[in-house]
Amino acid sequence: MPSTEDDSSAGWTLRRNTSKQQRTQCGDGWGKPAGSSCNIRYTYPSDSGVYWCESRDGTVSNMVHLTVTGGSVILQSPVLPVMEGDDVTLLCKTKTTPSNLPAAFYKDGSLIRKQPTGHMTIQHVSRSDEGLYKCDISGHGESPSSWITVTGDTLTCLSSCVVVLLVLLVLLVRRCAHRKPEGQDCKQIIPTFQNKVVPVKLEKGPPTSGVTKIQTTNQTTVKQHTI
């Protein structure tokens, strides 16, 4: 009797998408709410689909792919996303015979390898290992396909972002230190470059000189330009 969390008291509701129905919730033609659980008394292949929890404000949990098969071969695989770098073990077995029968494993329809004991371990998974997996046991048939999702390493990504920010900060401080006038620190200099317009006045020389002086209002010459 499969069950899954359905914490309606906290505003969470279990929903699912199947080949026949979309976004239906527990108790709406399938399952029976029982406190914090949703019980499905008898399962059928039509119950295969994507299940998730959804809050009143629209927040959703991770989605779980559930497959109900009427055949005798089952592929046991992670239903939740796996992290990059982790090892993932797949188990191919039948409902009635021992689980150590030789099995062939497939990804996206292509043969990966054959294992003599029905177990296959994918070491240090990466995004390229994400896909649709199934297995086959000679004389018993093949299993339904199961999707395996691989997510990025959040800690590695966060560490990389921190390093980049630190490098940018060091470069900014160095640039500021090289450009600051004597007696001023970076906090005093940086604001002077923000949205400040320096008034200037043009002082034209004699017509024969061909020189125009550009000066600020405090009589400091910025540059001279020959016209």
Side-chain angles (χ1 to χ4, degrees):
M1 181 173 62
S3 64
T4 185
E5 295 301 314
D6 179 28
D7 193 358
S8 301
S9 61
W12 290 89
T13 301
L14 179 71
R15 295 184 180 274
R16 74 177 188 180
N17 288 340
T18 64
S19 59
K20 296 181 179 181
Q21 298 173 313
Q22 300 292 310
R23 286 184 53 78
T24 56
Q25 68 182 51
C26 179
D28 186 11
W30 62 273
K32 183 178 180 181
S36 61
S37 298
C38 177
N39 298 326
I40 305 176
R41 188 173 181 83
Y42 300 105
T43 57
Y44 301 93
S46 59
D47 290 309
S48 299
V50 180
Y51 290 73
W52 73 94
C53 291
E54 185 173 316
S55 68
R56 292 172 183 170
D57 61 4
T59 304
V60 298
S61 66
N62 288 332
M63 295 186 176
V64 175
H65 295 259
L66 296 181
T67 301
V68 181
T69 175
S72 61
V73 180
I74 302 171
L75 175 64
Q76 290 186 350
S77 62
V79 293
L80 295 177
V82 296
M83 296 293 295
E84 282 187 294
D86 289 349
D87 294 344
V88 175
T89 298
L90 305 179
L91 172 61
C92 188
K93 66 178 186 177
T94 65
K95 296 179 180 179
T96 57
T97 56
S99 59
N100 58 353
L101 295 175
F105 292 86
Y106 298 81
K107 176 181 178 289
D108 297 330
S110 299
L111 177 66
I112 304 174
R113 68 182 78 126
K114 295 181 179 181
Q115 294 293 96
T117 59
H119 295 76
M120 184 184 76
T121 298
I122 306 173
Q123 296 182 336
H124 311 301
V125 296
S126 63
R127 291 295 180 91
S128 62
D129 293 310
E130 187 173 88
L132 206 58
Y133 289 78
K134 67 179 180 180
C135 66
D136 180 270
I137 297 178
S138 179
H140 295 273
E142 67 178 28
S143 70
S145 298
S146 297
W147 182 268
I148 293 180
T149 301
V150 180
T151 60
D153 188 337
T154 304
L155 181 60
T156 299
C157 178
L158 181 61
S159 300
S160 301
C161 292
V162 171
V163 171
V164 171
L165 289 175
L166 288 176
V167 170
L168 291 176
L169 181 61
V170 170
L171 292 176
L172 180 62
V173 171
R174 285 185 176 180
R175 182 177 181 182
C176 178
H178 284 300
R179 296 181 61 181
K180 71 177 181 179
E182 184 176 356
Q184 286 186 305
D185 58 21
C186 291
K187 292 182 179 179
Q188 296 173 322
I189 297 173
I190 292 176
T192 64
F193 291 97
Q194 298 177 353
N195 303 322
K196 182 173 182 180
V197 178
V198 180
V200 298
K201 68 178 181 178
L202 298 180
E203 189 176 284
K204 193 171 183 180
T208 57
S209 67
V211 175
T212 297
K213 294 182 179 180
I214 302 177
Q215 295 181 322
T216 62
T217 54
N218 61 1
Q219 305 302 319
T220 301
T221 300
V222 177
K223 71 173 182 178
Q224 291 185 344
H225 177 64
T226 303
I227 58 174

